[in-house]
């Protein structure tokens, strides 16, 4: 062990080994992996080693594909066999709803260029003769599934890394981490202390404890997981080939070949945590006692689905632990607020995702950018609330128990809720609000007036909330709609250096005092880092408004770029709230609550000011996401409830109605407005996303300018368009393929029924030539091909007159 390394990776499981390999591969060879005991001695050694490329998040699916393709390379480089068995795999559908879901998924995978196919019960039996196909509707086949040797794969990564100069130190626990004044880390180990420019927490079952060493509480916890391995199965002994792997979604089990027997794994509906705080330091390569009574219900379904297992002995029971996060995705990247402290943990699918995590982290450390939109696994997608034990336990338990359960796009799951609520929560509930949740904050989805216990049926089609949403949209277009803006993030930037700093951070020209502007924020490679609204309240005082759930992610970016002096940044997201009021009656409503002249000439579109509203100092900005005349009214949280009462009273005779996120989606799609995480993501550019006209190419240097200029010259390869879809019962919801003459030309980013224009609408990225020629297109909505065409202009008020009225 040397006294200093550029990077110390803590943990020699599949994930830490992949991080080490990728760092060395990309040229950082002064790196060491420090392992408490032996390689694989956490979760990795007893993993079933199954892998698959399929994932609901296309970016993660692409990265899983990368992981699988990488195995040949590390095997070749290291000379160590990874024991790959590419058997192919089938997800079974034992209900009509599941089959419909698999059909929709097949279309979605098409947009990710992952080839899957639907198979009949007969084909399933052909590919896996031990499946009892009774009651099966069919399945989804993916050729890129299989299983591998966990030990060999880990050693292949490490072997290849060592050949490139990386070092591995075994039987040496990291006992303490201390940050030095120059941001490097002092890594105290059992065998001495080393310094490192960066540390990576890849400590798997111990990740939470290694987080604590740096003062970080990570939302990750171990949970128990069972599988069994059978003796030889005569039907398989008689077979001259391997069966495919099977996931019985309705049965909560998965099965893969294991020599001439099988491995049957269980995702039980009554799961158990184990060592929520992280495993004990002296935990060895041990198994937990099997808890067969608890898993019996799922096991029984498994033995019915695979009857051959009833006639063979069980060679081995495995009850091991591996880690879960609230949404089941890993935690990757630099931890907000901790310089040079990186995580690569919380990974429940090391053999599908390990390569991707290593690739992402190494690129991020070396190039300052993860190389793809990996928000779905970015550690900054969570805030501190997610690591609280009760929230963490509730949400991870929910994820585990629902691992194979159908998730519907309109479904709001209950775990960990309500956690954060606005002062109006009970009042809006009494008004009929049906809540969803964003980053722990309750937010109304729609209102069922007069009904406090309305239950929306989970569905991929238009739901029983359709008419409520229609009424909210109509009220907003014809009178006024009021949206509780608790799910906005608000930041105040002030100080003598504020304007200079923001001018460099944001790609737009800064607004004049008293004005608001939409400002794209770019990374150095010209990709979007935000779509913020900037209000200028004074020469040196600004407000930025963004998405509530991006707070930790944005704050990390702001902190990384903040100068040492001259600029103060305050995150006001939990201190201020308010309402977004829009619709033709909104001026009259707001005017009734303030002495300020709110006429169009005195307070025009994109004006902002601090003015008294209903007896409190509010920050009011004139803009809306609905396309109507509108005002965003922000007040301190303590005044949000009284503001609500005042607005409600003022709007009573003017048709004011509370509205939720669903109505907002319908309204914005009628106006072709994009939002973050659908149309605007880290993989999009201003040129693609119709944001280029907000970019001030001619102002001085701003982050991402060179790349944005290059794109402007070359033109974007894909364009954001609005589609009118010939759909009747269901609307697009995102990731559906867009085709021209059967050829894939794009992908839907979001869709909804435009209640006011009475059309099924979607926003989609399509190839540039398609966007210009605008041919007849199709979109697969829940797997059914529907005719679609590109709208030349927004479906509602294309000239934007109402917004400016
Ligand atoms: C029963 C079971 C079946 C599974 N089946 C599959 C499957 O089929 N497919 C799949 O993809 N995944 C499967 N998994 C999950 C898989 O095991 C994990 O995704 C993977 O092992 C996570 O690897 P890791 O490197 O993050 O963590 P770990 O394997 O836990 O490695 C962490 C390492 O860090 C070391 N460490 C911790 N603290 C310190 C310290 N302070 N100093 C030095 N070293 C330290 C530990 O000793 C350990 O070696 C399964 C898991 C279980 C339990």
């Amino acid at each position: 062990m040397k006294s200093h390394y550029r990077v110390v990776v803590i943990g020699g499981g599949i994930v830490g080994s992949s991080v080490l390999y990728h760092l060395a591969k990309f040229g950082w060879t002064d790196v060491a992996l420090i392992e408490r005991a032996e390689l694989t001695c956490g979760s990795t050694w007893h993993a079933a080693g199954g892998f698959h490329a399929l994932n609901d998040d296309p970016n993660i699916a692409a990265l899983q594909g990368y992981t699988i393709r990488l195995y040949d390379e590390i095997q070749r480089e290291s000379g160590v066999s990874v024991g790959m068995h590419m058997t192919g795999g089938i997800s079974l559908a034992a209900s009509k709803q599941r089959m419909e879901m698999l059909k929709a998924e097949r279309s979605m995978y098409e947009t990710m260029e992952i080839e899957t196919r639907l198979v009949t019960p007969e084909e399933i039996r052909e590919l896996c003769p031990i499946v009892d196909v009774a009651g099966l509707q069919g399945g989804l086949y993916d050729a890129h599934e299989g299983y591998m040797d966990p030990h060999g794969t880990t050693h292949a990564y490490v072997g290849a890394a060592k050949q490139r100069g990386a070092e591995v130190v075994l039987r040496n626990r990291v006992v303490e981490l201390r940050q030095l004044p120059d941001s490097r880390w002092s890594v105290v180990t059992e065998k001495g202390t080393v310094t490192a420019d960066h540390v990576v927490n890849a400590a798997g079952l111990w990740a939470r404890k290694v987080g604590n060493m740096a003062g970080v509480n990570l939302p990750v916890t171990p949970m128990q997981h069972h599988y069994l391995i059978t003796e030889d199965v005569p039907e398989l002994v008689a077979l001259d080939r391997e069966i495919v792997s099977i996931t019985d979604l309705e049965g909560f089990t998965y099965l893969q070949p294991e020599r001439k027997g099988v491995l049957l794994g269980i995702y039980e509906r009554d799961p158990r945590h184990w060592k929520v705080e992280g495993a004990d330091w002296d935990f060895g390569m041990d198994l937990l006692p099997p808890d067969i009574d608890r898993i019996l219900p799922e096991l029984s379904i498994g033995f019915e689905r695979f009857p051959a297992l009833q006639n063979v002995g069980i060679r081995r029971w495995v009850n091991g632990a591996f880690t879960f996060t609230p949404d089941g995705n890993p935690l990757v990247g630099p931890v907000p607020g901790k310089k040079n402290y990186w995580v690569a943990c919380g990974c429940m699918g090391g053999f599908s995702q390990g390569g991707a995590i290593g690739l992402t982290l190494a690129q991020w450390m070396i190039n300052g950018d993860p190389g793809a939109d990996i928000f779905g696994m970015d550690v900054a997608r969570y805030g501190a609330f997610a690591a609280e034990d009760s929230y963490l336990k509730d949400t991870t338990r929910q994820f585990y128990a629902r691992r194979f359960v159908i998730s519907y796009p309109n479904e709001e799951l209950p775990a960990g809720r309500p956690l954060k609520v606005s002062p109006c929560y009970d009042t809006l509930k009494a008004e009929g609000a049906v809540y969803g949740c964003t980053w722990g904050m309750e937010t109304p989805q729609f209102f069922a007036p007069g009904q406090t216990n309305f239950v929306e049926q989970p569905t991929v089609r238009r739901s029983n909330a359709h008419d409520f949403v229609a009424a909210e949209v109509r009220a907003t277009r014809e009178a006024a709609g009021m949206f509780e803006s608790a799910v906005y993030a608000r930041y105040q930037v002030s100080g003598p250096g504020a304007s200079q700093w923001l001018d460099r951070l944001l790609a737009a020209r800064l607004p004049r005092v008293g004005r608001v502007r939409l400002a794209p924020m770019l990374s150095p490679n010209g990709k979007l880092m935000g779509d913020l609204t900037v209000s200028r309240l004074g020469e040196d005082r600004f407000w930025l408004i963004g998405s509530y759930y991006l707070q930790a992610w944005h704050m990390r970016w702001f902190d990384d770029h903040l100068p040492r002096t001259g600029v103060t940044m305050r995150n006001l997201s939990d201190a201020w709230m308010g309402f977004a009021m829009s619709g033709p009656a909104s001026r009259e409503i707001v005017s009734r609550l303030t002495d300020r002249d709110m006429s169009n000439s005195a307070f025009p579109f994109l004006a902002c000011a601090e003015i008294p509203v209903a007896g409190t100092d509010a920050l009011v900005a004139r803009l809306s996401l609905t396309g109507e005349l509108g005002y965003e009214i922000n007040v301190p949280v303590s005044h949000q409830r009284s503001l609500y009462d005042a607005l409600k009273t003022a709007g009573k005779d003017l048709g004011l109605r509370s509205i939720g996120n669903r109505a907002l989606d319908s309204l914005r799609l009628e106006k072709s407005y994009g939002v973050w995480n659908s149309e605007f993501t880290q993989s999009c550019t201003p040129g693609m996303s119709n944001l280029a006209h907000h970019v001030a190419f001619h102002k001085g240097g701003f982050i991402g300018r060179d790349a944005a200029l290059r794109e402007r010259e070359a033109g974007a390869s894909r364009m954001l368009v609005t589609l009118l879809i010939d759909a009747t019962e269901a609307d697009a919801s995102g990731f559906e393929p867009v085709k021209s003459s059967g050829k894939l030309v794009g992908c839907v980013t979001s869709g909804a029924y435009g209640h006011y224009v009475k059309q099924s609408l979607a926003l989609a990225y399509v190839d540039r030539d398609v966007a210009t020629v605008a041919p007849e297109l199709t979109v697969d909505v829940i797997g059914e091909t529907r005719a679609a065409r590109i709208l030349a202009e927004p479906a509602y008020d294309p000239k934007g007159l109402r917004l400016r009225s």
Side-chain angles (χ1 to χ4, degrees):
M1 197 162 66
K2 298 193 302 182
S3 60
H4 176 82
Y5 296 95
R6 197 166 197 176
V7 183
V8 164
V9 179
I10 304 170
I14 186 76
V15 173
S17 304
S18 164
V19 171
L20 188 78
Y21 167 73
H22 282 91
L23 286 169
K25 179 174 177 174
F26 299 148
W28 279 21
T29 51
D30 180 20
V31 292
L33 183 155
I34 300 184
E35 165 53 50
R36 184 185 61 103
E38 304 296 333
L39 293 177
T40 77
C41 76
S43 293
T44 301
W45 68 276
H46 53 353
F51 63 85
H52 51 91
L54 305 184
N55 191 293
D56 298 348
D57 180 331
N59 301 301
I60 294 184
L63 287 166
Q64 291 187 176
Y66 165 83
T67 300
I68 296 166
R69 288 192 301 278
L70 184 68
Y71 288 133
D72 264 357
E73 192 176 319
I74 58 164
Q75 181 166 268
R76 215 176 326 108
E77 275 190 36
S78 64
V80 180
S81 168
V82 299
M84 162 84 83
H85 293 248
M86 189 75 91
T87 58
I90 302 176
S91 301
L92 304 182
S95 68
K96 265 175 73 179
Q97 295 88 328
R98 177 72 71 177
M99 197 62 213
E100 185 173 74
M101 219 63 181
L102 291 183
K103 235 168 127 181
E105 280 177 24
R106 194 206 62 77
S107 306
M108 184 181 84
Y109 293 132
E110 225 181 316
T111 66
M112 305 178 196
E113 298 182 18
I114 298 176
E115 208 184 310
T116 57
R117 68 186 163 88
L118 296 169
V119 286
T120 61
E122 291 68 39
E123 286 172 282
I124 294 169
R125 202 178 10 225
E126 171 61 30
L127 290 163
C128 185
I130 60 169
V131 177
D132 178 357
V133 295
L136 287 185
Q137 303 275 321
L140 183 70
Y141 174 80
D142 172 24
H144 299 101
E145 285 187 24
Y147 67 100
M148 54 207 308
D149 167 21
H151 180 269
T153 310
T154 310
H155 281 266
Y157 273 127
V158 165
K162 277 173 151 175
Q163 284 184 17
R164 292 172 182 269
E167 203 176 312
V168 174
V169 184
L170 298 179
R171 294 174 289 284
N172 185 25
R173 179 159 69 89
V174 172
V175 292
E176 199 182 336
L177 293 170
R178 290 191 216 123
Q179 187 139 41
L180 302 170
D182 61 2
S183 295
R184 291 181 308 150
W185 287 90
S186 177
V187 182
V188 184
T189 77
E190 288 171 332
K191 294 182 181 168
T193 299
V194 299
T195 54
D197 296 347
H198 304 266
V199 291
V200 179
N201 174 352
L205 294 175
W206 296 263
R208 216 165 166 211
K209 287 189 163 168
V210 173
N212 291 342
M213 288 182 193
V216 176
N217 193 10
L218 293 166
V220 57
T221 173
M223 294 183 79
Q224 301 185 30
H225 187 67
H226 284 82
Y227 64 75
L228 61 86
I229 292 175
T230 68
E231 305 281 3
D232 286 358
V233 176
E235 287 86 339
L236 302 185
V237 174
L239 215 60
D240 59 357
R241 58 183 164 83
E242 269 196 316
I243 52 170
V244 298
S245 302
I246 297 282
T247 306
D248 183 11
L249 297 164
E250 264 78 27
F252 309 97
T253 60
Y254 58 89
L255 173 135
Q256 67 193 38
E258 171 76 25
R259 298 186 206 148
K260 287 293 177 184
V262 299
L263 179 156
L264 183 76
I266 295 114
Y267 272 100
E268 63 272 24
R269 286 159 289 176
D270 180 19
R272 290 288 185 277
H273 288 90
W274 178 78
K275 303 280 175 192
V276 176
E277 68 287 2
D280 295 340
W281 289 121
D282 59 357
F283 184 67
M285 283 169 113
D286 298 322
L287 293 175
L288 313 174
D291 191 354
I292 297 171
D293 283 350
R294 184 166 54 82
I295 61 171
L296 208 53
E298 292 78 17
L299 215 50
S300 312
I301 310 177
F303 275 64
E304 273 172 37
R305 181 61 71 207
F306 310 106
L309 307 194
Q310 294 168 15
N311 308 321
V312 293
I314 292 171
R315 191 150 58 85
R316 191 170 164 228
W317 284 100
V318 171
N319 181 16
F322 64 131
T323 50
F324 284 77
T325 61
D327 61 8
N329 281 339
L331 303 176
V332 181
V335 172
K338 286 281 159 198
K339 282 261 176 289
N340 302 341
Y341 184 84
W342 304 73
V343 288
C345 60
C347 173
M348 56 164 287
F351 298 88
S352 302
Q353 299 180 336
I357 294 173
L359 170 78
T360 303
L361 205 73
Q363 290 188 146
W364 211 336
M365 284 174 124
I366 295 170
N367 308 327
D369 186 289
D373 176 10
I374 55 91
F375 185 76
M377 56 184 192
D378 192 330
V379 60
R381 73 187 181 280
Y382 286 117
F385 69 91
E388 292 304 323
D389 273 8
S390 64
Y391 181 90
L392 183 62
K393 281 167 78 173
D394 266 15
T395 50
T396 45
R397 183 185 154 76
Q398 172 177 274
F399 176 83
Y400 192 116
R402 292 180 50 91
R403 175 95 172 94
F404 289 167
V405 174
I406 295 177
S407 281
Y408 290 96
N410 66 335
E411 217 171 358
E412 301 291 341
L413 300 176
R417 297 176 53 199
L419 181 68
K420 299 189 252 177
V421 298
S422 80
C424 287
Y425 178 70
D426 291 332
T427 313
L428 294 179
K429 243 190 154 135
E431 226 195 286
V434 176
Y435 274 92
C437 180
T438 297
W439 222 61
M441 176 65 80
E442 294 295 311
T443 175
Q445 300 302 301
F446 59 89
F447 288 77
Q451 300 184 50
T452 46
N453 288 317
F454 178 81
V455 177
E456 185 186 24
Q457 299 308 320
T459 177
V460 286
R461 300 193 157 69
R462 292 175 192 160
S463 82
N464 53 339
H466 193 71
D467 292 346
F468 296 129
V469 179
E472 291 172 27
V473 168
R474 194 175 332 108
T476 309
R477 293 271 181 251
E478 295 177 359
M482 174 167 141
F483 176 76
E484 190 197 52
S485 57
V487 285
Y488 288 6
R490 300 163 168 92
Y491 312 94
Q492 182 174 268
V493 185
S494 57
S499 65
Q500 197 187 356
W501 178 62
L502 281 179
D503 210 27
R504 176 158 168 69
L505 193 76
L506 304 174
R509 194 170 291 290
L510 294 181
R512 300 192 310 274
V513 175
R515 300 290 293 165
V516 182
R517 185 162 273 164
L518 179 73
M521 183 162 69
L522 305 182
S523 64
N525 61 13
K527 301 280 170 65
L528 296 178
M529 281 303 293
D531 59 337
L532 300 164
T533 310
V534 189
S535 299
R536 191 166 197 166
L537 303 170
E539 278 306 327
D540 293 326
R541 194 157 70 88
F542 299 82
W543 259 43
L544 308 181
I545 292 192
S547 304
Y548 187 78
Y549 71 95
L550 295 176
Q551 276 171 74
W553 189 69
H554 269 149
M555 281 306 291
R556 183 177 66 195
W557 184 255
F558 296 147
D559 281 345
D560 281 351
H561 293 87
L562 210 57
R564 280 182 197 283
T565 56
V567 184
T568 306
M569 173 119 212
R570 285 178 62 207
N571 182 356
L572 303 174
S573 308
D574 284 328
W576 284 65
M577 281 188 185
F579 292 92
M581 166 77 70
S582 67
S586 54
R587 175 176 293 122
E588 175 60 21
I589 296 170
V590 176
S591 297
R592 288 179 180 181
L593 300 177
T594 181
D595 292 339
R596 172 83 182 235
D597 179 1
M598 300 306 285
S599 66
N600 204 21
S601 51
F603 201 75
F605 180 53
L606 296 180
C608 69
E610 287 162 297
I611 54 177
V613 177
T616 186
D617 285 337
L619 191 151
V620 182
R622 198 180 138 193
L623 70 162
S624 80
L625 189 64
T626 65
E628 298 293 337
L629 162 71
Y631 303 86
E632 290 185 354
I633 310 167
N634 305 280
V635 290
V637 169
S638 54
H639 289 70
Q640 194 234 15
R641 177 60 215 271
S642 56
L643 175 67
Y644 168 84
D645 288 340
L647 289 168
K648 270 291 193 195
T649 308
K652 199 166 177 190
D653 61 328
L654 295 171
L656 172 64
R657 193 167 173 137
S658 291
I659 67 170
N661 285 293
R662 300 273 178 78
L664 217 53
D665 251 347
S666 175
L667 291 156
R668 76 166 178 95
L669 277 156
E670 291 183 341
K671 286 292 297 169
S672 302
Y673 291 156
V675 290
W676 193 265
N677 215 28
S678 295
E679 289 68 41
F680 310 142
T681 71
Q682 284 174 88
S683 52
C684 300
T685 58
M688 295 166 67
S689 53
N690 298 336
L691 290 177
H693 60 283
H694 295 286
V695 175
F697 290 98
H698 296 300
K699 78 172 185 177
F702 58 86
I703 297 170
R705 180 170 181 261
D706 292 347
L709 278 171
R710 279 197 300 277
E711 182 193 48
R712 190 172 65 161
E713 252 164 52
S717 57
R718 284 199 150 187
M719 305 294 296
L720 185 63
V721 296
T722 308
L723 297 177
L724 175 61
I725 304 178
D726 182 14
T728 45
E729 292 171 14
D731 305 293
S733 59
F735 301 132
E736 291 88 352
V738 181
K739 294 181 191 164
S740 169
S741 307
K743 182 174 160 269
L744 185 70
V745 294
C747 165
V748 169
T749 50
S750 57
Y753 185 68
H755 284 276
Y756 205 69
V757 298
K758 301 201 181 328
Q759 291 168 342
S760 182
L761 299 170
L763 287 167
Y765 278 109
V766 296
D767 295 342
R768 181 166 60 180
D769 52 339
V770 171
T772 15
V773 177
E776 290 300 312
L777 298 171
T778 61
V779 173
D780 289 355
V781 179
I782 32 175
E784 298 289 339
T785 301
R786 299 284 178 173
R789 68 182 168 83
I790 295 175
L791 293 181
E793 49 186 23
Y796 178 77
D797 187 25
K799 303 272 175 293
L801 301 178
R802 297 179 70 87
L803 203 59
R804 294 171 174 78
S805 63

